[in-house]
Amino acid sequence: GKTRRNIVNQLKSIVGQGPLNQAAVMEIEALLLQADVGVEATDYIIEALQNQIKQAALPPDAAIAYLKKILRDMLDRPLQNCSPIFVPEKDRLNIWLITGVNGAGKTTTIGKLAHIAQKSGYNCLIGAADTFRAAAVEQVKVWGARSNVEVIANPGKNTDPAAVVFDAIAAAQARNTELLLVDTAGRLQNKKNLMDELSKIRRIVDKKASDARVESLLVLDATLGQNGLRQAEVFAQAAQLSGVVLTKLDGTAKGGVALAVVQQLNLPIRFIGAGEGIEDLRPFSSYEFVEALIGT
Amino acid sequence: MFDALADRLESAWKKLRGQDKISHANIQEALREVRRALLEADVNLQVVKDFIADVETKAQGAEVLSGVRPDQQFIKVVYDELVEVMGETNVPLAQADAAPTIVLMAGLQGTGKTTATAKLALHLRKQDLSCLMVATDVYRPAAIDQLVTLGKQIDVPVFEMGSNADPVEIAREGVEQAKAQGVDTVIIDTAGRLQIDQDMMAELIRVKEAVQPHETLLVVDAMTGQEAANLTRTFHEQVGITGAILTKLDGDSRGGAALSVRRISGQPIKFVGVGEKVEALQPFYPDRMASRILGMGDVLTLVEKA
Ligand SMILES: Nc1nc2c(ncn2[C@@H]2O[C@H](COP(=O)(O)OP(=O)(O)OP(=O)(O)O)[C@@H](O)[C@H]2O)c(=O)[nH]1
Ligand SMILES: Nc1nc2c(ncn2[C@@H]2O[C@H](COP(=O)(O)OP(=O)(O)OP(=O)(O)O)[C@@H](O)[C@H]2O)c(=O)[nH]1
Ligand SMILES: [Mg+2]
Ligand SMILES: [Mg+2]
């Protein structure tokens, strides 16, 4: 919470300037658990820290610096085999499929991405493939209008979302669109039929736009607990995820489950959402994320 | 992903075979397993600590039951304590002495307030109670459309004043209309807000003061992590809640947030959302929630029979 004292001071109150003892390590463990890092990932991190402590006594400042390095390394690891800079390629079709559980912030993220793309001079289009939720199409249309990006939607009710994606790709191909953002309906990962529907959407994308560059992003709410890991596992299968967007980081939740997601699925975090406004999306920085998580 | 707590406790206890009584010494490993299970279920760390301390006290005072292994007996202590914290019985929706009953919905963004508003209205309509839903979310794009669409689906009217009006004014006039029309229950949907957003929290307080609701329900996503405790504390301290709705329980989250919400606010969880459709609302049952958090089922019935 907000009233927690800064961690270095907490450790100093336990061990002074001396090396960390077990009580100090427990304090760090509590910090990680309270950030939703989860028991398993926390065990991993604490073990890495303990190993270092065995080699050399660590006073509070050094311990926290080392802890931050462990965390940053975890977050940066997936970038070893892909580009650290995440932008659509100019002069060709890029398709970004935006997926996630209900209410995570998919549609809002689409609105923010459309705005950035438009500002950066990309020819952009939105496919409104949430044909299920009440007023989902109206919502994404408002977002499209805010940045003057056209929205391809099917006016019928409860139409097949894969058909909308098909139409959106056709439209994108016809007008030399560079970035097609596809909004999908929220779905819980244990709903087999809905996950099959998502797989079908992904297949349509691959088939109909075989020469496009496709990114498949999972939107994770920073307020989530350990279920986020399960979400990432199942969505990775169904939608062939290539990255993560972490939303709602403007709250006090730290989004620690993203660490576990990155570690277990080797998926990079690409953007963070930090508000409901159109400008409230930023590229992910492991440095900023770790500073906010450890809170010094 | 999770081993059932029961299995883990059994192995914790195997090392102590031959000891048939719960003692301070032999309970420590079992308590650690419970702590781990609760954390994996997303119960808030502080709530876990308090809960474990209570369980330790109760377990040591527990009578030895013949024919029941100590690990099973220990599980029962944990489970009973969890059910007790959770409120033991289902608490129904408040009902005003004179209609309309006024219900105010509140919570973080995307938790399911608008959906729950419609679900609740349908639930009441099925009991032959008339309803009016009031759309005060003037911020989120198409939030009013969403409620209006849901209203049509369930045949319940929606009071709205567009998205240029003041939410406090909309709420006030919505309740006035409900009174004038003799409606039984009026449910006020509000915009999602972070508990640290002082302007938005102040607005919610003004809405509450203006309409004096009989029920203020905090809508919490069952997948919420450690933050459940913070948000509940702040909403309860600043606005005052009388209950909660736990949504998205049709997922596979363990739902430890339920324990945090209940423990921090002291208010009952009244309903759970179990799907996206308007029919998917159920009363909250503390015992089922306890089993879910602990990830267990059969063991309990075994102990009950012993
Ligand atoms: N505070 C905050 N709120 C956000 C952020 N991103 C989205 N939201 C809010 O979260 C709520 C849900 O956002 P949506 O974009 O509708 O989420 P979704 O994933 O499209 O939801 P479904 O389509 O219903 O599954 C809205 O009230 C948004 O304004 C964020 O970064 N910070
Ligand atoms: N699976 C499932 N989805 C739900 C449940 N309740 C709500 N949802 C979905 O969660 C998403 C968000 O629901 P809303 O009712 O729009 O949430 P809200 O709290 O009104 O959101 P804001 O107004 O943006 O703060 C939508 O996709 C809903 O369909 C539930 O119990 N189960
Ligand atoms: Mg959406
Ligand atoms: Mg809403």
Side-chain angles (χ1 to χ4, degrees):
Chain A
K2 280 202 118 184
T3 50
R4 273 179 76 93
R5 271 181 305 152
N6 132 356
I7 181 76
V8 173
N9 287 341
Q10 280 180 62
L11 298 183
K12 282 182 180 158
S13 77
I14 299 172
V15 296
Q17 296 296 341
L20 295 203
N21 57 18
Q22 195 50 34
V25 172
M26 295 285 283
E27 201 59 40
I28 294 174
E29 183 191 69
L31 177 95
L32 294 171
L33 289 172
Q34 280 172 322
D36 290 310
V37 171
V39 178
E40 245 177 70
T42 297
D43 284 351
Y44 166 86
I45 295 162
I46 292 295
E47 202 185 305
L49 187 64
Q50 300 266 36
N51 285 339
Q52 185 67 20
I53 293 174
K54 268 183 223 147
Q55 287 171 28
L58 286 183
D61 292 303
I64 292 302
Y66 187 73
L67 172 68
K68 286 178 178 175
K69 184 173 163 1
I70 298 173
L71 299 177
R72 281 197 307 272
D73 287 350
M74 283 170 80
L75 291 163
D76 291 336
R77 197 164 303 138
L79 295 174
Q80 283 167 359
N81 9 325
C82 56
S83 164
I85 294 162
F86 192 67
V87 289
E89 209 176 301
K90 268 285 192 193
D91 300 318
R92 70 179 282 192
L93 178 59
N94 297 262
I95 300 178
W96 289 7
L97 185 63
I98 308 298
T99 66
V101 297
N102 308 79
K106 296 174 292 298
T107 306
T108 307
T109 300
I110 297 246
K112 295 169 178 176
L113 284 171
H115 173 68
I116 298 180
Q118 192 78 336
K119 263 198 331 195
S120 315
Y122 286 93
N123 194 349
C124 186
L125 193 67
I126 295 172
D130 180 355
T131 56
F132 181 77
R133 212 209 60 217
V137 174
E138 285 81 353
Q139 183 190 2
V140 77
K141 277 188 173 166
V142 171
W143 275 110
R146 285 178 178 175
S147 51
N148 242 328
V149 169
E150 201 183 323
V151 176
I152 303 293
N154 188 318
K157 273 189 87 180
N158 278 337
T159 47
D160 179 3
V164 178
V165 173
F166 189 90
D167 291 349
I169 294 172
Q173 287 166 338
R175 52 185 94 166
N176 292 321
T177 296
E178 292 166 300
L179 179 61
L180 170 63
L181 296 164
V182 179
D183 189 20
T184 60
R187 66 199 76 224
L188 298 179
Q189 71 281 3
N190 62 335
K191 304 283 171 76
K192 178 150 193 323
N193 57 334
L194 297 181
M195 296 315 286
D196 287 348
E197 179 191 271
L198 183 61
S199 302
K200 182 175 161 197
I201 290 174
R202 175 68 213 226
R203 279 199 303 276
I204 299 269
V205 169
D206 290 339
K207 217 165 136 191
K208 170 98 179 140
S210 51
D211 51 357
R213 246 188 74 181
V214 182
E215 292 287 348
S216 179
L217 301 175
L218 176 69
V219 179
L220 285 178
D221 181 332
T223 329
L224 271 174
Q226 298 312 299
N227 196 246
L229 193 53
R230 189 78 197 120
Q231 291 168 22
E233 285 167 1
V234 182
F235 275 86
Q237 287 289 319
Q240 296 170 47
L241 293 181
S242 57
V244 170
V245 179
L246 193 58
T247 61
K248 308 188 193 175
L249 272 172
D250 46 327
T252 44
K254 305 289 190 194
V257 71
L259 263 173
V261 167
V262 169
Q263 194 192 24
Q264 295 219 0
L265 293 151
N266 202 35
L267 287 171
I269 305 173
R270 291 308 197 172
F271 295 101
I272 62 150
E276 298 183 79
I278 199 163
E279 305 268 0
D280 297 329
L281 189 79
R282 293 204 296 271
F284 176 75
S285 141
S286 60
Y287 175 81
E288 281 175 28
F289 181 84
V290 169
E291 291 300 309
L293 187 112
I294 302 301
T296 43
Chain B
M1 191 168 49
F2 301 106
D3 311 6
L5 177 64
D7 295 342
R8 294 213 226 141
L9 286 179
E10 198 180 333
S11 61
W13 233 275
K14 267 195 187 122
K15 298 169 194 155
L16 299 162
R17 273 287 147 76
Q19 304 187 25
D20 58 358
K21 209 167 169 295
I22 294 175
S23 70
H24 173 80
N26 71 15
I27 208 174
Q28 294 311 314
E29 191 165 349
L31 286 172
R32 260 195 303 280
E33 290 299 339
V34 175
R35 174 180 185 272
R36 228 180 143 86
L38 293 176
L39 285 170
E40 281 175 353
D42 293 318
V43 181
N44 179 272
L45 182 64
Q46 193 54 54
V47 174
V48 170
K49 282 184 181 161
D50 296 347
F51 182 81
I52 295 289
D54 291 352
V55 165
E56 181 167 9
T57 312
K58 294 221 168 135
Q60 287 177 56
E63 266 178 61
V64 182
L65 302 174
S66 63
V68 181
R69 296 205 317 265
D71 57 331
Q72 292 179 343
Q73 198 184 338
F74 179 76
I75 290 181
K76 179 141 166 58
V77 173
V78 174
Y79 172 82
D80 287 347
E81 178 66 12
L82 206 48
V83 175
E84 194 186 316
V85 173
M86 220 85 82
E88 288 185 344
T89 54
N90 169 260
V91 182
L93 196 69
Q95 208 172 347
D97 296 335
T101 300
I102 302 167
V103 182
L104 179 62
M105 310 290 269
L108 297 187
Q109 287 94 344
T111 52
K113 294 173 296 298
T114 306
T115 309
T117 300
K119 286 176 175 177
L120 206 51
L122 179 63
H123 169 83
L124 293 166
R125 220 204 56 190
K126 283 181 181 162
Q127 299 172 14
D128 286 325
L129 293 164
S130 59
C131 261
L132 178 69
M133 301 193 289
V134 180
T136 75
D137 182 356
V138 299
Y139 307 101
R140 168 173 166 169
I144 299 172
D145 273 348
Q146 186 187 357
L147 194 63
V148 169
T149 306
L150 291 170
K152 281 184 190 137
Q153 274 177 31
I154 60 174
D155 202 17
V156 168
V158 172
F159 179 86
E160 54 114 346
M161 292 167 64
S163 54
N164 289 321
D166 170 23
V168 182
E169 203 44 44
I170 304 171
R172 196 193 323 267
E173 291 196 26
V175 170
E176 282 314 312
Q177 181 168 92
K179 282 181 183 158
Q181 294 176 344
V183 168
D184 295 316
T185 308
V186 47
I187 310 173
I188 302 167
D189 181 28
T190 63
R193 65 201 75 218
L194 293 172
Q195 81 276 13
I196 53 163
D197 184 334
Q198 289 181 358
D199 293 344
M200 289 297 284
M201 291 304 280
E203 178 196 275
L204 188 61
I205 293 165
R206 287 202 306 279
V207 168
K208 191 180 176 200
E209 279 168 357
V211 302
Q212 302 283 327
H214 305 94
E215 188 88 86
T216 302
L217 297 175
L218 183 65
V219 180
V220 181
D221 186 326
M223 299 180 281
T224 312
Q226 296 289 310
E227 189 68 0
N230 292 332
L231 78 94
T232 301
R233 185 175 297 113
T234 310
F235 270 93
H236 193 46
E237 277 172 9
Q238 297 192 0
V239 185
I241 64 170
T242 55
I245 298 184
L246 199 65
T247 62
K248 309 182 198 174
L249 262 186
D250 47 324
D252 55 11
S253 67
R254 296 278 288 280
L259 185 61
S260 306
V261 168
R262 173 72 213 214
R263 187 96 181 198
I264 299 281
S265 70
Q267 302 300 313
I269 296 166
K270 297 203 165 179
F271 294 95
V272 297
V274 290
E276 296 183 69
K277 300 221 172 85
V278 279
E279 300 81 21
L281 185 77
Q282 289 173 3
F284 174 77
Y285 292 109
D287 48 347
R288 288 184 205 169
M289 198 66 224
S291 306
R292 181 176 177 134
I293 291 176
L294 294 175
M296 54 196 247
D298 299 353
V299 189
L300 280 175
T301 36
L302 275 174
V303 181
E304 300 292 352
K305 279 181 199 144

